[in-house]
Amino acid sequence: MAQRERTTSRDTELPHRPGRRLRLTAATAAALALTGGLLTAAAPTATAAPRAELPPTDADFNDDGYADVAASAPFTYVNGKKWAGALVVTYGKEGGAGRSKPYTQNSPGVPDAAEKGDLFGNETAYGDFDGDGYDDLLVSAGGEDVGGDKDGGTATILWGSAGGLKGGTTLKDPRPTKHDGFSELLQAGDFNGDGKDDIALGTGTTAVIDIYRGGFTRAGRTGGHSTVKVPLHTDASNGVRQLHSGDANGDGKEDLIVNGYERTQQGYNANFWLPGSSSGPKASAAQKLPAGIITDLGDTDKDGYDDVVIGNLWDSGIPGSARGGAVHVLHGTRSGPASGDREKFTQNTSGVPGSGEKGDAFGNELDLGDINGDGNLDLIVGAPGETVDGVSDSGAVTILYGAANGSGITGRGSRLLTQNTPGVPDSDEKNDFLGTDVHLDDLNGDGRADAVLGAHGENGGNGAVYPLIARADGTFKGTSGVYPSTAGLSGTRMPRLGANFAD
């Protein structure tokens, strides 16, 4: 199937390559009609709840106890510079989503300057990199020209403060001129268990991942640097596809999940688990996991080990695929993810609304969080290729709840969200691609994870972000959407706001 993919500085025509993650281009695979019912029940009036501690997995750039969300708009024109790129941070507050602030390379304190094709903000990751109590944001500019090195790429840390993100520092590229697209892939995590957030950076053309150890300063110092090489197929257009982190073996050191293509004749997509160690991710102990374009990690069954959730959006031809897409949950153990102990969810799973149809791309994006505040992780899944009521590629999002007994994710009681669902802004339109990205964050500090939905095709490709506030019964209260026009960005030629969220 043709599919949306991550855009790099080299993709001038935005081509479709099977096996790359649905990302930033103008169209997904064609989708057929949705046959299941929509979520139409009215939700009861929300009641006030005591403010809870912010979960450690939520970004909080101003340390006010409310989660903040960073959304990419990588194709933004800045002062007429095509695809210079931008991001928008929506700050949480009591009651829900608060102000939305844009950041570009022309923003005060941000290093460099907005230039054609920089793609600033295409990828982001957060962590408290200098240990001052404020979360910081790592931002890519994979198309940045560095001196005479065209498309060399840069990575910049925007620093958290009581007033939000302010100022920035550029990380030094350890191998300039040896690759293009430095920082195209980003992830943060404490890979060596020393209590400091580390950074992993990859490019889309090599299997080498740069690891920067924690101990970052605003003067540009780091706690050290090393590299790991993953057994991936690489060529001029293929290398690392995705990075994610979590502790699947419960040893207190975060592991790194690396997505790419196997070194086989078939060249199947695969995920590789690199366990954390005192020296960082351990490539020599890499374990191949099932195929899938996106992952998340969290303890869905409350046994003390993070489980690996894999989104496999392919209709066929890839191990584990299913018509319309699938999501797999691999349970963590003392020795890492147990490939033989897993569940598979599709739109044909009992209790899940709708049905799996070609091109739905169910599993294109996903995230874990406790939506109803019952202490069990729930799962949000994007299907941006879903056709709703005959409207092609309008997109949809599914909520799968954690079982009340803590046994893991279940299809029972699942909910479907579309732009025709009460509380979700706007309406279903062709090529909206609702579910381009999805995120769960506690925006209002009530102890429940709110849903943040990206629709990078909204308004003819301008894009939109929809924060939805979770109620105790698992339903959502809508808020105003965030658009380039309301966030202070140019709407010239499809900026694609909501293409990616920081994780």
Side-chain angles (χ1 to χ4, degrees):
M1 58 178 269
Q3 64 182 72
R4 269 187 317 109
E5 65 184 34
R6 174 184 305 282
T7 295
T8 73
S9 55
R10 298 172 296 283
D11 292 330
T12 56
E13 296 298 324
L14 306 187
H16 299 280
R17 295 190 194 98
R20 295 184 75 184
R21 182 182 180 189
L22 267 69
R23 276 278 173 168
L24 304 175
T25 63
T28 64
L32 301 177
L34 178 68
T35 59
L38 300 182
L39 172 62
T40 58
T45 303
T47 58
R51 183 175 166 194
E53 286 294 320
L54 187 68
T57 53
D58 289 348
D60 187 6
F61 302 124
N62 54 7
D63 194 32
D64 63 355
Y66 304 106
D68 308 317
V69 177
S72 299
F75 294 157
T76 297
Y77 280 57
V78 180
N79 289 351
K81 304 293 186 181
K82 179 181 178 181
W83 296 2
L87 61 93
V88 174
V89 174
T90 299
Y91 290 91
K93 68 171 186 177
E94 184 176 2
R99 63 189 175 103
S100 293
K101 183 174 180 179
Y103 295 85
T104 74
Q105 287 179 297
N106 286 353
S107 296
V110 177
D112 299 313
E115 299 163 318
K116 180 180 177 180
D118 283 348
L119 295 175
F120 177 77
N122 184 32
E123 279 287 300
T124 52
Y126 63 83
D128 183 6
F129 299 122
D130 59 356
D132 65 353
Y134 298 99
D135 279 330
D136 313 304
L137 186 66
L138 180 65
V139 185
S140 75
E144 181 78 39
D145 294 342
V146 183
D149 183 14
K150 182 176 174 56
D151 295 337
T154 60
T156 299
I157 298 175
L158 302 184
W159 301 105
S161 73
L165 295 176
K166 289 185 178 180
T169 301
T170 299
L171 289 180
K172 184 178 180 180
D173 183 347
R175 294 183 311 284
T177 75
K178 301 298 184 182
H179 56 79
D180 282 345
F182 179 67
S183 83
E184 283 179 344
L185 295 309
L186 304 174
Q187 187 60 41
D190 182 7
F191 303 120
N192 57 7
D194 66 354
K196 300 176 182 178
D197 285 332
D198 310 313
I199 290 173
L201 297 97
T203 77
T205 59
T206 75
V208 176
I209 299 168
D210 291 286
I211 306 295
Y212 293 84
R213 290 187 290 277
F216 300 91
T217 71
R218 302 188 183 208
R221 292 192 298 274
T222 75
H225 170 266
S226 60
T227 61
V228 294
K229 189 171 183 178
V230 186
L232 297 176
H233 168 74
T234 59
D235 57 30
S237 60
N238 290 298
V240 177
R241 297 292 91 199
Q242 288 296 326
L243 299 172
H244 210 90
S245 61
D247 188 5
N249 59 4
D251 66 353
K253 303 175 183 66
E254 290 193 73
D255 314 317
L256 187 65
I257 304 288
V258 183
N259 176 260
Y261 291 105
E262 300 181 65
R263 289 177 179 168
T264 65
Q265 185 176 1
Q266 293 85 2
Y268 286 131
N269 179 279
N271 290 287
F272 289 87
W273 172 70
L274 280 61
S277 73
S278 58
S279 58
K282 195 172 181 181
S284 62
Q287 173 183 329
K288 192 180 80 171
L289 305 180
I293 209 73
I294 183 66
T295 58
D296 195 13
L297 288 91
D299 190 0
T300 65
D301 55 5
K302 305 175 77 170
D303 64 354
Y305 303 100
D306 280 353
D307 308 311
V308 182
V309 185
I310 299 175
N312 183 332
L313 54 84
W314 290 283
D315 295 305
S316 62
I318 298 292
S321 61
R323 185 178 178 89
V327 171
H328 301 264
V329 180
L330 279 65
H331 291 272
T333 72
R334 186 175 180 179
S335 56
S339 60
D341 179 15
R342 58 171 159 160
E343 293 102 33
K344 181 177 182 179
F345 297 92
T346 73
Q347 290 176 296
N348 294 326
T349 299
S350 178
V352 177
S355 62
E357 296 151 331
K358 186 177 180 180
D360 285 347
F362 179 81
N364 164 62
E365 284 288 352
L366 48 81
D367 200 20
L368 291 165
D370 183 4
I371 295 171
N372 53 14
D374 67 352
N376 300 298
L377 287 178
D378 310 308
L379 178 65
I380 185 171
V381 182
E386 187 76 57
T387 292
V388 181
D389 291 339
V391 181
S392 62
D393 294 332
S394 52
V397 172
T398 301
I399 307 292
L400 292 84
Y401 293 94
N405 62 4
S407 59
I409 303 297
T410 176
R412 292 188 299 274
S414 299
R415 298 178 184 270
L416 185 71
L417 304 178
T418 75
Q419 288 181 288
N420 288 340
T421 300
V424 180
D426 300 320
S427 59
D428 292 321
E429 298 167 312
K430 184 178 180 180
N431 296 338
D432 278 349
F433 302 119
L434 182 72
T436 303
D437 205 348
V438 292
H439 210 50
L440 295 176
D441 280 314
D442 185 7
L443 299 174
N444 62 355
D446 65 359
R448 295 189 290 269
D450 306 307
V452 186
L453 315 182
H456 85 340
E458 181 66 43
N459 295 330
N462 278 4
V465 174
Y466 303 119
L468 307 179
I469 305 305
R471 295 183 170 109
D473 65 353
T475 61
F476 297 95
K477 174 185 177 182
T479 65
S480 298
V482 181
Y483 310 92
S485 59
T486 62
L489 296 180
S490 168
T492 301
R493 300 291 297 275
M494 300 185 293
R496 299 292 188 186
L497 177 62
N500 302 311
F501 298 140
D503 60 15

